[in-house]
């Protein structure tokens, strides 16, 4: 089977047809693409820390950090540099290769970005990859973070364009796309995905993945979150997504974005080990590691280590030469191949 080239012209019908494949056929295709582009037994491990929690003015229907919802999340100020560095060192000691920092802002002020830049520089000095999610950015702010040593910027598009207004009203879909463009222009790698299980249809899940796959550049990391329902948020009580539909979403994401790292993000605590194993087979090769994701639960480190042993998986390590866990893939994307020496063309 020839290696999959990178495409940016997927139609909704083509993606819907992938979702509609028999389950085993879809997983077979996805795993074949995964093996062509990645070590099928390696998983990139990240740790996520909320460095500024709660008090967000947005109305995202899934988020317990929105100030307007009564979820028991207490608003906290930005953590100190020393406090974040201590948590980053602990994450590195536990096996994480990337440290992600989240702050509950709609759009940070320049002084906020300057403070985060100081934190980023200190975490980078530990030898970790760095990622931040701070809300909407302008070009100068993105450049400030790049100069501080930030590797990735996370800014999820959440869902399909036509379903977005059912979930969020305080910013527009285009606002998210504009921030992603500013981040790319600054030379930062993008971490961008979405949330499933918010009451969207399968066609709308296809729309989420279509938007991601047809961006000018595929996000280097694609987090696929399963809704974690928090009492007090508007989406609490939404009908749960079938676990196999989540696996299908992972598989389709892998086919559409062959070279990207597809991450199992929020919602892993609600998945049993068998579902996670199917996700890894379907093409997921990145996880968040630790007991908490921002304000929601996550499987603990020892459970993940035990699962890796049971599945014969190992954690990717940062390469000293390029300071990224998948430098060969990124370099090959720039050169127009998939990174596996297969001779395919990855040009759009």
């Amino acid at each position: 089977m020839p290696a999959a080239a990178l495409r940016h012209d997927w139609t909704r019908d083509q993606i819907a047809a992938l979702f509609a494949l028999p389950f085993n056929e879809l997983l077979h295709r996805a795993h074949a693409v995964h093996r062509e582009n990645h070590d099928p037994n390696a998983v990139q491990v990240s740790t996520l820390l909320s460095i500024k929690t709660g008090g967000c003015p947005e109305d995202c229907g899934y988020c317990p950090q929105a100030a307007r919802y009564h979820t028991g999340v207490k608003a906290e100020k930005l953590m100190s540099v020393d406090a974040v560095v201590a948590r980053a060192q602990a994450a590195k000691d536990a096996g994480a290769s990337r440290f992600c920092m989240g702050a509950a802002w709609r759009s940070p002020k320049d002084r906020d970005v300057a403070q985060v830049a100081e934190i980023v520089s200190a975490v980078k000095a530990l030898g970790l990859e760095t990622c931040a999610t701070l809300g909407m950015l302008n070009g100068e702010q993105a450049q400030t973070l790049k100069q501080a040593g930030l590797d990735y910027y996370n800014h999820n598009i959440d869902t399909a364009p036509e379903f977005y207004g059912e979930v969020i009203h305080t910013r527009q879909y285009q606002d998210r796309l504009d921030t992603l463009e500013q981040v790319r222009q600054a030379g930062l790698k993008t971490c961008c995905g979405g949330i499933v299980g918010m009451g969207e249809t399968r066609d709308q899940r296809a729309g989420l993945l279509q938007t991601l796959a047809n961006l000018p550049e595929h996000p280097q990391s694609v987090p696929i979150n399963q809704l974690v329902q928090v009492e007090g948020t508007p989406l609490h009580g939404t009908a749960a997504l079938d676990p196999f539909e989540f696996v299908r979403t992972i598989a389709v994401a892998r086919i559409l974005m062959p070279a990207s790292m597809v991450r199992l993000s929020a919602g892993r605590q609600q998945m049993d080990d068998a579902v996670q194993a199917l996700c890894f087979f379907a093409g997921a090769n990145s996880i968040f590691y630790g007991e908490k994701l921002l304000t929601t639960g996550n499987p603990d480190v020892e459970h993940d280590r035990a699962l890796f042993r049971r599945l014969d998986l190992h954690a990717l390590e940062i390469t000293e030469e390029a300071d990224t866990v998948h430098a060969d893939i990124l370099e090959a994307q720039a050169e127009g191949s998939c990174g596996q020496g297969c001779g395919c063309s990855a040009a759009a």
Side-chain angles (χ1 to χ4, degrees):
M1 181 177 178
L6 300 189
R7 290 179 50 185
H8 303 266
D9 61 351
W10 290 93
T11 68
R12 184 73 67 93
D13 286 346
Q14 288 171 333
I15 299 172
L18 291 174
F19 268 100
L21 286 170
F23 187 74
N24 286 341
E25 175 65 21
L26 175 58
L27 262 61
H28 172 72
R29 292 194 189 186
H31 186 71
V33 171
H34 187 53
R35 295 185 72 91
E36 290 159 3
N37 291 274
H38 304 274
D39 178 345
N41 299 307
V43 179
Q44 187 274 325
V45 176
S46 297
T47 292
L48 176 62
L49 174 67
S50 179
I51 61 173
K52 186 270 177 188
T53 302
C56 182
E58 300 271 33
D59 72 346
C60 305
Y62 51 80
C63 185
Q65 299 202 68
R68 67 190 67 204
Y69 306 139
H70 301 290
T71 62
V73 174
K74 181 181 177 182
E76 299 175 359
K77 295 181 179 179
L78 184 67
M79 293 174 63
S80 69
V81 175
D82 289 345
V84 176
V85 168
R87 296 289 293 273
Q89 183 63 59
K92 182 180 180 182
D93 293 343
S97 61
R98 186 180 306 165
F99 193 70
C100 306
M101 295 158 278
W105 287 308
R106 181 176 190 272
S107 183
K109 297 180 173 61
D110 289 345
R111 65 174 180 269
D112 299 323
V113 173
Q115 289 178 289
V116 173
E118 185 180 355
I119 293 172
V120 167
S121 294
V123 172
K124 184 72 173 177
L126 298 177
L128 286 162
E129 289 183 327
T130 55
C131 179
T133 178
L134 315 172
M136 294 183 289
L137 295 183
N138 61 40
E140 288 186 7
Q141 291 172 333
Q143 287 288 350
T144 296
L145 294 170
K146 171 68 174 177
Q147 292 166 8
L150 190 69
D151 297 299
Y152 289 81
Y153 193 77
N154 166 261
H155 200 63
N156 292 333
I157 58 171
D158 286 347
T159 190
E162 69 271 21
F163 190 66
Y164 186 83
E166 300 296 317
V167 180
I168 300 165
H169 311 92
T170 49
R171 75 169 92 172
Q172 301 301 309
Y173 207 75
Q174 188 61 46
D175 293 330
R176 295 187 181 266
L177 298 178
D178 290 345
T179 290
L180 289 169
E181 178 61 24
Q182 298 288 4
V183 167
R184 285 192 299 268
Q185 289 296 322
L188 289 164
K189 303 177 185 74
T190 56
C191 174
C192 183
I195 306 171
V196 298
M198 298 192 293
E200 77 285 345
T201 63
R202 176 183 279 186
D203 186 67
Q204 288 162 341
R205 284 188 285 281
L208 162 66
L209 298 182
Q210 180 189 25
T211 302
L212 292 169
N214 288 350
L215 288 169
E217 179 183 50
H218 290 169
Q220 284 83 8
S221 287
V222 181
I224 304 296
N225 300 273
Q226 182 167 268
L227 176 67
V228 177
Q229 299 192 26
V230 178
E231 189 171 356
T233 61
L235 290 179
H236 183 256
T238 302
L241 186 70
D242 185 296
F244 295 130
E245 186 69 12
F246 184 86
V247 177
R248 284 182 183 273
T249 306
I250 294 291
V252 175
R254 169 52 67 217
I255 293 169
L256 300 184
M257 293 167 280
S260 300
M261 309 299 281
V262 176
R263 178 179 299 138
L264 294 184
S265 294
R268 269 205 314 129
Q269 190 175 43
Q270 286 73 48
M271 297 178 200
D272 64 31
D273 290 349
V275 170
Q276 291 189 60
L278 283 172
C279 288
F280 291 130
F281 184 82
N285 60 345
S286 178
I287 63 167
F288 275 124
Y289 202 51
E291 78 282 0
K292 183 177 283 191
L293 299 185
L294 296 180
T295 59
T296 59
N298 197 46
D300 63 30
V301 169
E302 287 307 319
H303 183 92
D304 282 335
R305 285 175 173 168
L307 180 60
F308 274 31
R309 288 193 296 268
R310 292 165 65 199
L311 299 178
D312 298 308
L313 300 174
H314 62 273
L316 282 169
E317 296 181 0
I318 299 174
T319 60
E320 293 182 3
E321 296 81 5
D323 200 27
T324 173
V325 295
H326 58 308
D328 55 339
I329 296 170
L330 296 174
E331 181 180 355
Q333 279 185 278
E335 293 175 352
S337 71
C338 73
Q340 301 303 301
C342 62
C344 74
S345 172

